[in-house]
Amino acid sequence: MAEQQNLNKQNQKTSFNLLLGTGIACVLLGFVLLVALAVDIELKPSAFRHLFWAVLGGGLLFVSLVKLQRKSMIFTGLFLLMNGILFFVIDTKFIPYSLDALWPITVIIGGFALFVSGFYVNRSIRTSQLIPSVSLVLLGVFCLLFSLDIIEEPFLQLAGRWWPLVLIAAGFCLVVLFFVWNASKIQLEDVEDDFTDLDDIN
């Protein structure tokens, strides 16, 4: 009976792994076919080099999710996969923007990959992971506004007027961290007090 249960669990695990691998392969193949079937697409050798990094990232992501389950490996796999696809799409001129305009997206991808890897391994949202992730995403979005000329004012001129906002944001984050850590400390102290009361009763 126990042997049958173990066999069923192994089969279920294999099915889930197959599902994950198929999903990653479909994402990669879908992007390649989407670009290949588009009109007036210029394929350069460098585009396939970027595709190689995307495939490498997909393989690394699959192995890290199935076996290793380390944050650094999941982050690296997801980062390579998404950036490889991004650079492939840019290099084939599938979208009318160059890397000079879209480079902040790599920063956004870094923040996203950091959040996903931490959440998957820890099974919860931790402040130590959330704040750097959100900061990277916001920084990428901010830089993207300038690189796409959505904000036409020069960056140095804007930064010279609004740089105190960085101090405000940093101070706000420190205050939030204080309350979060203080709340967790209070909860731990309450648990210790409960155990002490039980010991006194016994």
Side-chain angles (χ1 to χ4, degrees):
M1 185 68 180
E3 185 177 348
Q4 183 65 32
Q5 288 179 346
N6 291 333
L7 185 61
N8 290 337
K9 287 182 180 179
Q10 187 66 30
N11 291 336
Q12 188 177 20
K13 185 178 180 181
T14 303
S15 299
F16 281 127
N17 293 345
L18 183 62
L19 191 68
L20 174 65
T22 305
I24 294 174
C26 283
V27 170
L28 285 169
L29 185 61
F31 272 102
V32 173
L33 291 176
L34 185 66
V35 171
L37 295 175
V39 181
D40 296 330
I41 293 300
E42 181 183 356
L43 289 176
K44 299 178 181 178
S46 57
F48 293 100
R49 181 185 62 202
H50 298 316
L51 191 61
F52 166 77
W53 288 112
V55 172
L56 179 64
L60 186 61
L61 181 64
F62 176 78
V63 172
S64 58
L65 289 175
V66 170
K67 291 185 177 181
L68 301 177
Q69 295 191 356
R70 294 180 182 174
K71 283 188 283 189
S72 59
M73 298 285 285
I74 296 174
F75 171 82
T76 304
L78 193 57
F79 187 77
L80 286 176
L81 172 64
M82 296 182 72
N83 275 306
I85 292 174
L86 173 66
F87 293 154
F88 176 75
V89 170
I90 292 174
D91 215 25
T92 54
K93 306 240 184 316
F94 182 69
I95 51 178
Y97 294 101
S98 65
L99 184 59
D100 292 337
L102 297 180
W103 69 264
I105 295 181
T106 61
V107 181
I108 298 173
I109 290 173
F112 174 75
L114 185 64
F115 174 78
V116 170
S117 60
F119 180 77
Y120 183 82
V121 173
N122 298 324
R123 307 295 181 185
S124 62
I125 299 176
R126 295 186 178 179
T127 309
S128 59
Q129 207 96 35
L130 181 63
I131 290 180
S133 303
V134 173
S135 300
L136 284 174
V137 171
L138 291 178
L139 178 63
V141 170
F142 181 71
C143 293
L144 197 62
L145 294 176
F146 288 95
S147 64
L148 293 178
D149 293 328
I150 296 174
I151 298 178
E152 297 181 353
E153 187 176 358
F155 175 76
L156 292 178
Q157 183 178 346
L158 188 70
R161 186 166 63 249
W162 294 98
W163 70 265
L165 286 175
V166 177
L167 288 177
I168 295 172
F172 180 76
C173 289
L174 291 174
V175 171
V176 170
L177 278 175
F178 167 79
F179 282 111
V180 170
W181 286 341
N182 198 36
S184 62
K185 182 180 177 183
I186 291 173
Q187 290 176 357
L188 288 174
E189 288 178 350
D190 290 342
V191 171
E192 290 176 357
D193 290 340
D194 291 340
F195 279 115
T196 304
D197 293 341
L198 288 174
D199 291 337
D200 292 340
I201 293 172
N202 294 334

